[in-house]
Amino acid sequence: MKIKYCLACKKELKGRCDKKFCDTQCRSTYHNTNRPFHELSIQKINSDLRRNRSLLAHFCPSGKSTVEKEVLARLGYKFELFTHIFPFSTGTYFFCYEYGYLPVLENGTEKMLIVHKQDYMDNLSFHPWNFKIIKHRSK
């Protein structure tokens, strides 16, 4: 009989003849380190989105609050990542799951008005081809 070794830790395997890993941890380790590049990219983006959501939730314990943009930037908030938008009369809210923010300028300071998603926001009839994007000019 041929001796087989764990694909992750290289220890000798005992048990069934078709066994490839020592245990669940070795199987997970092996598959996590051998993922295709696109899967790693998706995992990184999802991780960043979860972090964005956690930061918004932390700074918005009561449903609505304002925080300086710089504070979130220092904590690693990725402004280019969001799950959806909500165009509103005062501007566009950028959401990470159920928390969103509206960029505001207050006395020359960039701030974020953070809100928890409300029921009326589910009734959005958004048309991407009619949406206008305002480009910022470099100073």
Side-chain angles (χ1 to χ4, degrees):
M1 181 180 350
K2 184 179 175 186
I3 298 175
K4 292 182 80 177
Y5 297 92
C6 175
L7 295 176
C9 71
K10 308 300 182 207
K11 288 182 184 173
E12 184 178 336
L13 293 173
K14 296 183 184 341
R16 295 187 348 232
C17 62
D18 62 343
K19 194 172 184 181
K20 295 181 183 180
F21 305 101
C22 298
D23 54 28
T24 305
Q25 184 176 354
C26 276
R27 186 186 74 233
S28 293
T29 299
Y30 177 82
H31 289 301
N32 285 335
T33 56
N34 291 294
R35 286 187 182 180
F37 178 76
H38 72 276
E39 286 290 329
L40 294 173
S41 177
I42 291 168
Q43 183 179 14
K44 172 78 170 104
I45 290 168
N46 286 337
S47 175
D48 289 341
L49 282 169
R50 279 192 300 273
R51 177 152 179 78
N52 280 359
R53 186 236 172 250
S54 293
L55 287 169
L56 291 175
H58 173 78
F59 284 100
C60 186
S62 61
K64 186 176 181 182
S65 67
T66 305
V67 66
E68 288 187 16
K69 177 186 172 192
E70 183 58 32
V71 171
L72 281 141
R74 280 189 305 231
L75 292 171
Y77 194 92
K78 305 269 192 229
F79 295 95
E80 69 276 12
L81 295 177
F82 46 90
T83 56
H84 62 288
I85 62 172
F86 183 78
F88 197 65
S89 59
T90 57
T92 301
Y93 284 85
F94 296 88
F95 277 84
C96 276
Y97 306 105
E98 79 277 24
Y99 287 94
Y101 72 90
L102 174 69
V104 293
L105 194 59
E106 191 176 286
N107 298 325
T109 303
E110 291 179 322
K111 294 188 175 186
M112 299 166 62
L113 172 63
I114 303 172
V115 297
H116 191 272
K117 187 173 174 236
Q118 303 295 310
D119 289 338
Y120 73 87
M121 294 176 173
D122 289 333
N123 300 327
L124 174 66
S125 59
F126 174 68
H127 303 286
W129 288 266
N130 295 334
F131 185 70
K132 294 186 183 351
I133 296 174
I134 300 170
K135 295 183 181 180
H136 296 295
R137 291 188 218 179
S138 300
K139 292 182 181 178

